[in-house]
Every structure is written in C-alpha cells, then in structure tokens.
Amino acid sequence: MGTEILKPLGGHEVFLLLVQLAMLLLAARLCAEGAKRLGLPAVVGELSAGIALGPSVLGHFAPAAYGRIFPQVASQFQLLEVVGTLGMVLLLFLTGLETDLRLLRNLGRPAFFASLLGMVVPFASGYWLGGYMPDTYLANPERRELFRFFLATAMAISAMPVIAKILIDLGLTKRNIGVVILTAGVVDDTAGWLILSVIAGAASSGAVQFEGLWHTLLFTGGFLLAMAVVVYPLSRGLMWVATRWLRTSDAGVVLLLVMALLCAAATEYIGVHAVFGAFVCGTMFRQVPGLEAKVVHRLEDLVHIALAPVFFGLVGLKVDLWHIESGVMLALVLGVACLGKLIGCTLGSLLGGMKFWESLSVAVAMNARGAMELVVATIGLSLGILNPQMFSIIVVVAIATSLLAPLALRLTIRKVQITEEEARRVAADASGSWIDSEKVRILIPTAGGSNTTGCALLAAGLAARSEQRPVAIAIEERRNWSERLLDLFLRRKRQTRAADKSAILKQLTHAGLSPEFRQLARAAPGAAIVAEAHKGYDLIILGASHHGHILGGGTLEQVVTHAACHVIAVRTSSNVAPFRRLIVPFDGSVFARVAVEAAVRYAEATKADLTIAIPHERRLAEAP
C-alpha cells in the first residue's frame, strides 16, 4: 500500500487567491463605507461588493476579465471557500458572544409572545410556500419535504447583529422597547439555529427520516449537555489562567479561537453544521465572568476587517441575479418573508400587552435578516437543498429586509411615547459612563490599616450589582535571607502576620464585602499593585496614607501614575459607619466627572443621599 504524494499548490493558484482576496477586501471596504454613509448596515455594502465582482455584474458585462480573475475551476474556488468558511464560523461565534442568554431569565410577556408568534407564523408561511413553489426552484424535487422545512426556517430566523446595530444607531438600547426586541431576538436566533442544526443533520440522509432525525436530536442534545456541564466550567478556568497568569497579551484571543474551532468541528463531526457549534460556543463564553471586553474587541477586529468581508463577498460571487427568471416569484418569497414576520411579531406583542405602534416597531425590527439569512442560504446551497436560482432569491430577501428594517423603524418609533423612567435612563447613558454596574471589577490592595473598612464599604456599594467579585490583595514585602533567619527566632512576628490576614478578612466581611482574597510577597508594593491592575480591573480602591496635612505616599503615587485603570484613594475616620451622605465638588474636569459617576453608582446601590457642589468664584466689588 503506497503513500499518496500530495501535490503542492501551483504558483498561479496562489497568485489568483491573493488577487481575489485583495479585490474582495478592497471592494467590500469601499462599498461598506458607502452603505454606512447612507445609513445602511455595513453587511449590505459588503454583499454588494461580492455581487458586483460576481456573475451578476462583472461576469455579465466583462466576462473575459471575470473569467481570468475568478476562473470557474473547482479547486481554485475551494481555496477561496476555505477562507469564507472560516469567516462564517467566526461570524456566528461573535453572534453568540452578542447573545445574552441572561435576558431569558427576565423574559417578559411581550417578548415571549413576540418571539413565539414571530417564529411560528413565518415558519408556517414558509412551510406552505415550500410546497407551492415549482420544481425548477428546488435542487432536488424528490427532497421537497426537506426543502419546505429549510425554507420555513429561513423565513423565521432574524439577524441579531443587524437588529442590535439598528437599535444602537437609533438610541433604543436603553428603552423598554429595545429590551423587548433584543430579548425576542435572542429567543428567535437560538430556536432558529437549533431547528437548522436538526435539518442540516437530517439532510445527510437525503430526506427527513424520523430515525435520522432522532439521532440528530440525540447528538445535538448531548453536545449541548457537554457544553453546559463540562466545557463551560473548563472554559472559566482556562480564561482565568489566560487573563491572570499568562504573560502574552493575546492569550485570551487564542483561547476563544481554539474553543470556537473545536466546538465547530465537534458539531460538524456529529452531522450538524459547524456554525451551530460556533454559535453555542459564543453564547457560552458570553456567560464566562473573566471574559474581558478588550479580548472580544481584538477578535472582532480580526473577523470584521479580514474574514467576514471575504465570506459576504463569496456569497455575492455565488449570486447570479440574471438567473432569477421570475420577478413574480421573487416578490412572492419577499412578501411571504416580510408579512409572516410582521404579522407574527405584531400579534404576539399585542397579545403580550403592548400598544399597536410599539408592537409594529418590534415587528419591523425583527424583520431584519441580514448576515444570518446569508449563512442559512450558504448552508442550504452546500447541502444541496437550494439551487442557484433559489439561493439568489434568498440572498435578495436578506438584502431587502436589512434595508427596510431601519427605514421602517425610524417611522414607527416616532409614534411610541417615551416614559419618564426611560427618559432618565437615556439621559444617564448619553452623559457617558465608565462604570458598568453589572461587570465592574474592583481591586482592593490593603494592609489591614484603618482605611480598610472604608475601602470595603465603598467597594461593596459599587460592586453590589456586579457579576465580578472584588479582589482584595495583601502585599507582604519580600524579605532577604537574614530577615528570614531572624523569623526563626521571632515566632511572635509570624503569628502576628497570620493574624493580620484574619483581621483583614474580618474587616472586609464586616463591611458587607465577600471578596476573593490573595496574599502576595513582593519587594515593591506599588509595582505589585500596578502589575495586578493590568489583569483586567476597572477600578482600584486603596487607602491613602497620610503624613500631617498631606495625603499620599510613595506607593499611592506610583499606583496613580502607572495603573491602567481608575484609582480611588480612601481616608476614613477612626469611627467608620456606612456612608449615607455624600458630597462631591464638581469643577467640570475629567477627574470630577469620574468622581460624580462613582458617587452616583454608589448612591444608586445603597440609597445614600448625594449632593454635588459646584463652586464658583465670588468677586468683591471694587471700591470707588
């Protein structure tokens, strides 16, 4: 049995691949810029770039140039498809990272019924449409039942990234209707990908067979159980190691990439499409407490700048608008897609107790398909469920709904009255914020002095709603060999140090704080605090040493100068009680604004009274 020798890539193949990638990236960036200037989602421009470079425009009007740049050779096209597949997988991983499953805990009546009927009605209408469509729109007419289920899923799914971007652009994320839309979108997306995973698994048998369906459901359930019971606890530990102990700055990004690819590979192996594993992995990492925003931002940069445009461009290259023989059929599919979502979400929201214009606003936002519809279409084409003509129609539906959603929502939201509570929330958000009450991570360096209780009280108020436990560190100065030798004869000194740790924990606990406590041995306390602060903290609260009328000292000065986050220095009296009345002088400076926000967050959590004092210069009238 001989060993097959792999043929290396030829120089011309590599040359064409590099040229194709360069053209797709450049065209996608230019078209995305144009789309954003028109107030449209960037994905519309990126997809338009692929259509312009594909058979719809370049291939139709300049077939010779198109044939040289994008030759219709399977091996050459597969090279480009590898990059596009990687972009598709990581795009769904990022979608999972944006999907906050905690919203489901507080799933209100309007969001529940909007998501329920917003799935059921378009799914039913899509299933009906799949039985009505002529055989010429099916890749294999003998697999019509599979086609009907697939089309029903395509009609029911929404695009969370596009919806979230529309809400951000219109400033609706802090309003009640924005929360309803996001929550309903989470349910729709999650349910849609679960259904799609089952259909993709059943497609391997060529039809919807109950035996294969139950196998797919069993494997999918086993994968979800393993993610919750095994992978999630493991990922929490790995993320903690990557962000706290490893010195390389990109360790967190590498961990996310590795886990996303492994989960995608797992679902691909069990017969479910790879994007489902990536999506589930993203939703899991969204719940990991140690996940830092900067890690996610670096991964977003990689995907949105380099990989996603190639995927969208590749989708555009597969679209041939000249193959859409019937404009009537295109209008029918688009009409069923829009009406099903609009009717379902509107009825569901009304049933949930919302008013008409609020319900219609939820419906028009949920009608956006965007990138998710493109992923669904790509999966259908790769599984042999869609033919090129039907694939092109679904891509047009994705573009059209993404264009209509922001335009229609701008009109309907004007009819929705804003409440006083929403107005206060929007105003607070517009003023800017550096404290995320639900995610703030606080570091408390302490030696157990008189300021420790004051630091703990302040930290307890600021971290009252946070998922992250404050971290208290006690730094013991590292001793040389002679000092250690003396310790052998000074047992009393060692016992005192042990008692100090117990006293510190007692002070922190008595102040209402339950921190994670660590004891470090370092030669320079200031440098140790600065090094620890670089591990993803938002705020340092430490005691201010005092010498006469001067607050500070060498350690505090070093921390304030070099720390990578905000610093609050605390000096308390000997008789410390919970802070019930706060006064903050405000002079308009950056430091004053930070101090005011810290005081506001503390007052919100503890119901303390807050006074903001704005000093002004008082000039005496000059004597005549």
Side-chain angles (χ1 to χ4, degrees):
M1 184 176 178
T3 302
E4 183 179 354
I5 300 176
L6 295 177
K7 180 182 177 181
L9 286 175
H12 185 65
E13 293 173 326
V14 174
F15 166 77
L16 279 180
L17 175 63
L18 296 177
V19 171
Q20 291 168 355
L21 290 174
M23 291 189 65
L24 284 174
L25 287 174
L26 178 61
R29 179 52 50 205
L30 294 175
C31 292
E33 181 67 24
K36 295 185 76 172
R37 288 179 181 271
L38 295 174
L40 302 174
V43 62
V44 174
E46 293 171 346
L47 186 60
S48 301
I51 294 176
L53 293 175
S56 299
V57 179
L58 183 63
H60 184 77
F61 295 103
Y66 173 73
R68 290 191 181 95
I69 300 173
F70 299 100
Q72 301 304 296
V73 179
S75 59
Q76 183 67 51
F77 197 79
Q78 287 168 358
L79 292 176
L80 192 60
E81 204 158 33
V82 168
V83 184
T85 300
L86 182 61
M88 177 175 63
V89 168
L90 293 182
L91 181 67
L92 263 295
F93 176 69
L94 288 179
T95 302
L97 285 175
E98 296 171 356
T99 304
D100 191 355
L101 295 179
R102 292 172 301 176
L103 290 173
L104 303 184
R105 301 174 188 171
N106 302 317
L107 184 61
R109 181 183 173 93
F112 173 76
F113 283 105
S115 60
L116 178 63
L117 294 185
M119 282 289 294
V120 172
V121 174
F123 191 92
S125 60
Y127 184 81
W128 167 83
L129 180 62
Y132 171 80
M133 297 192 70
D135 290 347
T136 54
Y137 290 87
L138 278 68
N140 186 351
E142 296 179 359
R143 305 169 68 185
R144 179 174 289 275
E145 195 67 18
L146 186 64
F147 173 80
R148 295 181 72 177
F149 276 110
F150 185 87
L151 186 60
T153 306
M155 297 294 100
I157 204 166
S158 297
M160 268 299 295
V162 175
I163 293 173
K165 183 64 169 60
I166 292 172
L167 295 178
I168 292 172
D169 291 343
L170 297 182
L172 299 176
T173 55
K174 297 299 179 181
R175 292 186 59 179
N176 296 336
I177 191 170
V179 175
V180 172
I181 293 171
L182 286 174
T183 308
V186 169
V187 177
D188 275 17
D189 256 18
T190 306
W193 290 114
L194 283 170
I195 296 171
L196 186 63
S197 68
V198 173
I199 295 174
S204 58
S205 62
V208 180
Q209 299 178 355
F210 286 103
E211 182 180 357
L213 187 63
W214 283 114
H215 285 167
T216 303
L217 286 172
L218 182 64
F219 284 130
T220 303
F223 171 76
L224 293 175
L225 181 63
M227 292 293 291
V229 177
V230 179
V231 181
Y232 176 65
L234 178 63
S235 299
R236 291 187 61 164
L238 291 175
M239 182 57 69
W240 188 86
V241 171
T243 56
R244 306 292 190 276
W245 291 101
L246 299 183
R247 295 186 177 181
T248 52
S249 60
D250 56 356
V253 179
V254 173
L255 175 61
L256 292 181
L257 285 172
V258 170
M259 293 302 296
L261 295 176
L262 287 178
C263 291
T267 53
E268 184 72 28
Y269 180 77
I270 64 177
V272 182
H273 202 276
V275 297
F276 178 69
F279 176 76
V280 174
C281 184
T283 59
M284 177 203 68
F285 266 106
R286 173 62 186 260
Q287 317 306 317
V288 172
L291 181 61
E292 300 175 4
K294 63 180 182 181
V295 174
V296 178
H297 292 332
R298 293 182 68 179
L299 184 59
E300 286 176 340
D301 290 341
L302 170 66
V303 176
H304 291 312
I305 293 175
L307 296 177
V310 175
F311 165 66
F312 294 133
L314 190 60
V315 172
L317 288 176
K318 296 176 182 177
V319 173
D320 191 350
L321 298 178
W322 301 99
H323 281 175
I324 301 178
E325 300 174 355
S326 173
V328 174
M329 188 58 65
L330 172 61
L332 177 62
V333 175
L334 180 60
V336 169
C338 292
L339 288 176
K341 206 68 170 177
L342 292 174
I343 293 173
C345 289
T346 301
L347 290 178
S349 300
L350 290 171
L351 190 61
M354 300 184 75
K355 298 178 181 179
F356 173 75
W357 286 108
E358 292 174 333
S359 302
L360 188 59
S361 297
V362 172
V364 296
M366 295 288 290
N367 190 42
R369 266 58 172 211
M372 299 303 98
E373 187 88 320
L374 302 181
V375 175
V376 172
T378 303
I379 293 173
L381 188 65
S382 65
L383 293 176
I385 301 175
L386 302 179
N387 63 6
Q389 184 174 199
M390 192 65 203
F391 172 80
S392 300
I393 289 177
I394 293 181
V395 170
V396 173
V397 170
I399 298 174
T401 55
S402 298
L403 289 172
L404 291 173
L407 298 176
L409 188 58
R410 283 188 176 95
L411 298 175
T412 59
I413 202 65
R414 297 175 183 174
K415 304 290 185 178
V416 179
Q417 294 183 350
I418 185 170
T419 64
E420 292 183 6
E421 187 270 337
E422 286 180 307
R424 288 194 299 268
R425 202 186 311 157
V426 172
D429 183 65
S431 65
S433 175
W434 63 269
I435 293 181
D436 186 341
S437 299
E438 296 183 354
K439 294 184 178 181
V440 64
R441 191 159 181 259
I442 300 175
L443 176 66
I444 310 171
T446 177
S450 60
N451 294 320
T452 298
T453 303
C455 293
L457 286 169
L458 189 58
L462 292 175
R465 301 174 184 174
S466 178
E467 304 169 356
Q468 308 278 356
R469 290 176 61 193
V471 176
I473 57 171
I475 302 171
E476 182 179 358
E477 291 192 34
R478 187 177 292 154
R479 296 154 292 157
N480 57 34
W481 67 270
S482 60
E483 291 174 325
R484 294 177 184 175
L485 185 61
L486 287 175
D487 281 344
L488 294 175
F489 304 98
L490 299 176
R491 292 181 177 273
R492 187 173 174 182
K493 187 176 182 180
R494 288 190 302 167
Q495 290 171 356
T496 302
R497 284 177 179 154
D500 284 346
K501 177 180 177 180
S502 177
I504 292 171
L505 287 173
K506 185 177 180 180
Q507 283 179 281
L508 297 173
T509 305
H510 182 71
L513 201 62
S514 299
E516 176 186 341
F517 186 85
R518 295 202 297 271
Q519 197 159 6
L520 307 177
R522 298 290 189 272
I529 296 172
V530 171
E532 184 71 20
H534 278 82
K535 297 179 180 179
Y537 292 91
D538 304 299
L539 177 63
I540 300 174
I541 302 178
L542 77 168
S545 58
H546 48 89
H547 306 280
H549 298 290
I550 301 175
L551 292 178
T555 299
L556 179 59
E557 183 179 351
Q558 187 174 7
V559 172
V560 171
T561 304
H562 299 289
C565 59
H566 294 290
V567 180
I568 295 179
V570 178
R571 180 179 178 182
T572 56
S573 61
S574 57
N575 185 18
V576 180
F579 306 135
R580 294 304 181 194
R581 300 182 66 190
L582 309 176
I583 181 170
V584 181
F586 182 78
D587 61 1
S589 66
V590 174
F591 307 107
R593 289 198 294 269
V594 172
V596 167
E597 184 175 353
V600 168
R601 300 301 182 203
Y602 179 87
E604 286 177 348
T606 63
K607 308 302 180 184
D609 294 331
L610 173 60
T611 301
I612 299 176
I614 304 177
H616 65 278
E617 185 178 358
R618 182 177 181 182
R619 297 185 178 182
L620 297 176
E622 295 182 2

